Amino acid sequence: MRELVVGAAQLGPIARDEPRESAVGRMIALLEDAAARGCRLVVFPELALTTFFPRWYTEDQAEIDAWFETDMPNAATRPLFERAKSLGVGFYLGYAELTIEDGRTRHYNTAILVNAGGRIIKRYRKVHLPGHAENEPWRAFQHLEKRYFEPGESFFEPVNAFGGEIALAICNDRRWPEIYREAALRGAEMVLLGYNTPVHYPPAPEHDHLQGFHNHLVMQAGAYQNGMWVVGVAKAGREEGCDLIGESCIIAPTGEIVALCSTLGDELITAPCDFDRCAEIRSNVFNFALHRRPQLYPLLSADDPSSLQG
Ligand code: CDV
């Protein structure tokens, strides 16, 4: 048995004028609760330091850049790193990252994994950016991730940490089955992901009542079909007039939800996660080496599937 007690630390809404220090204070409270409940790893949401700013359109780059972090840790987040280290607890944190690469300014929707010693051991930049790049005033609110971020280009390779192989993903990534399979083929035993998901989806409002169902559907399928643990953590509740779903959860490799949030506010759920349970699935129905037929799936990774169809 290789057991890790994991905490999913859901956050309620963060107001537009709420300082990062306040969000960090809320996260530290959840972290302390998690440590008291035996957790060694705590997962926070996507863009956990601020309100979900892509809901507003602006052409003022300075206004946008103010939502981003240029250093991590920084003055606002260092207390979280220090408290986690003193408690011996690691964490996943989502935030907006501004970095300079080869003299060019880059903007990413990023998640980091921090070990129990307070060191960043993995950085992941969101690969699947939903939404749009231009102002679409017909929407009740915007979703401008394609304007404010550029997509990450990393594979879904796990890092060996906390006694298992852990991969990171962010929000919209969870809807894409390929990411779980890619991570699993690379050896991942657990996928951590934070999300901000509005109840209202402007391009297809007829699906609004299905948001919670789709949230669990994709993560449970990803867990079961790849024999992995999945930890999905929301920023939830009514944030600046926009309702965000909650239902953060911890999902076993069998696809069963073993812990589930029941509020739309700051809430911690925990579960003991035995990495060895991945074998229940991966040595059996989804034994990749025995049963997969990759030669019959070439379109899955083709840039232009029509060029390969025959
Ligand atoms: N933050 C997100 O990536 N949200 C998307 C919404 C816009 C559909 C999601 O997949 O939940």
Side-chain angles (χ1 to χ4, degrees):
M1 186 152 96
R2 287 179 297 138
E3 189 176 280
L4 171 71
V5 182
V6 177
Q10 178 175 287
L11 290 177
I14 299 180
R16 190 173 185 160
D17 61 359
E18 183 168 342
R20 287 163 172 79
E21 289 74 9
S22 166
V24 165
R26 290 163 57 185
M27 285 189 265
I28 289 174
L30 290 162
L31 196 77
E32 290 174 344
D33 193 7
R37 289 161 64 175
C39 295
R40 285 204 296 122
L41 173 63
V42 173
V43 183
F44 295 112
E46 172 191 35
L47 298 176
L49 297 171
T50 66
T51 199
F52 191 78
F53 62 87
R55 73 168 65 92
W56 294 292
Y57 177 80
T58 178
E59 295 174 6
D60 179 351
Q61 194 57 45
E63 189 187 335
I64 283 303
D65 286 353
W67 297 111
F68 284 74
E69 317 302 318
T70 49
D71 299 301
M72 190 57 66
N74 54 30
T77 57
R78 193 159 290 112
L80 178 67
F81 280 70
E82 285 173 357
R83 190 66 185 119
K85 185 177 173 184
S86 73
L87 293 167
V89 176
F91 62 91
Y92 164 114
L93 176 71
Y95 68 99
E97 178 193 12
L98 191 161
T99 186
I100 312 284
E101 285 171 3
D102 300 328
R104 226 184 102 201
T105 304
R106 322 292 294 255
H107 297 80
Y108 296 109
N109 187 340
T110 294
I112 49 172
L113 185 63
V114 177
N115 72 9
R119 194 167 61 83
I120 297 173
I121 53 170
K122 177 101 187 144
R123 185 182 306 272
Y124 168 78
R125 290 158 174 164
K126 188 174 181 179
V127 164
H128 299 96
L129 294 176
H132 50 107
E134 299 306 326
N135 195 15
E136 297 190 6
W138 59 269
R139 292 173 181 254
F141 48 84
Q142 310 283 303
H143 196 106
L144 289 153
E145 286 196 59
K146 285 203 191 297
R147 182 178 189 86
Y148 300 142
F149 302 113
E150 57 186 295
E153 298 296 339
S154 62
F155 297 108
F156 293 89
E157 76 283 358
V159 60
N160 182 267
F162 303 99
E165 295 290 331
I166 299 186
L168 311 185
I170 303 177
C171 195
N172 190 259
D173 290 326
R174 76 193 188 288
R175 302 185 190 271
W176 298 85
E178 295 89 342
I179 73 136
Y180 303 95
R181 180 56 54 86
E182 186 70 29
L185 289 171
R186 290 172 182 272
E189 298 173 302
M190 178 178 278
V191 175
L192 313 179
L193 56 94
Y195 57 90
N196 282 256
T197 297
V199 173
H200 176 51
Y201 184 63
E206 65 275 22
H207 295 161
D208 287 359
H209 68 291
L210 299 173
Q211 288 300 341
F213 167 61
H214 288 159
N215 177 43
H216 286 164
L217 177 70
V218 291
M219 292 193 291
Q220 289 182 262
Y224 167 62
Q225 291 171 343
N226 298 284
M228 292 190 297
W229 292 91
V230 174
V231 184
V233 183
K235 173 133 67 57
R238 175 157 294 190
E239 189 178 84
E240 299 295 346
C242 175
D243 285 312
L244 300 169
I245 66 166
E247 297 189 315
S248 302
C249 57
I250 301 174
I251 304 167
T254 51
E256 295 162 284
I257 292 176
V258 295
L260 174 66
C261 279
S262 59
T263 73
L264 292 173
D266 292 6
E267 181 180 348
L268 177 78
I269 51 170
T270 70
C273 303
D274 178 3
F275 291 109
D276 282 345
R277 289 202 60 200
C278 297
E280 288 174 28
I281 301 296
R282 278 203 214 160
S283 300
N284 296 305
V285 66
F286 290 114
N287 181 328
F288 296 153
L290 205 57
H291 306 305
R292 251 177 104 245
R293 304 289 313 283
Q295 66 277 22
L296 300 179
Y297 324 138
L299 300 191
L300 280 183
S301 61
D303 256 350
D304 175 12
S306 62
S307 69
L308 289 178
Q309 268 161 22

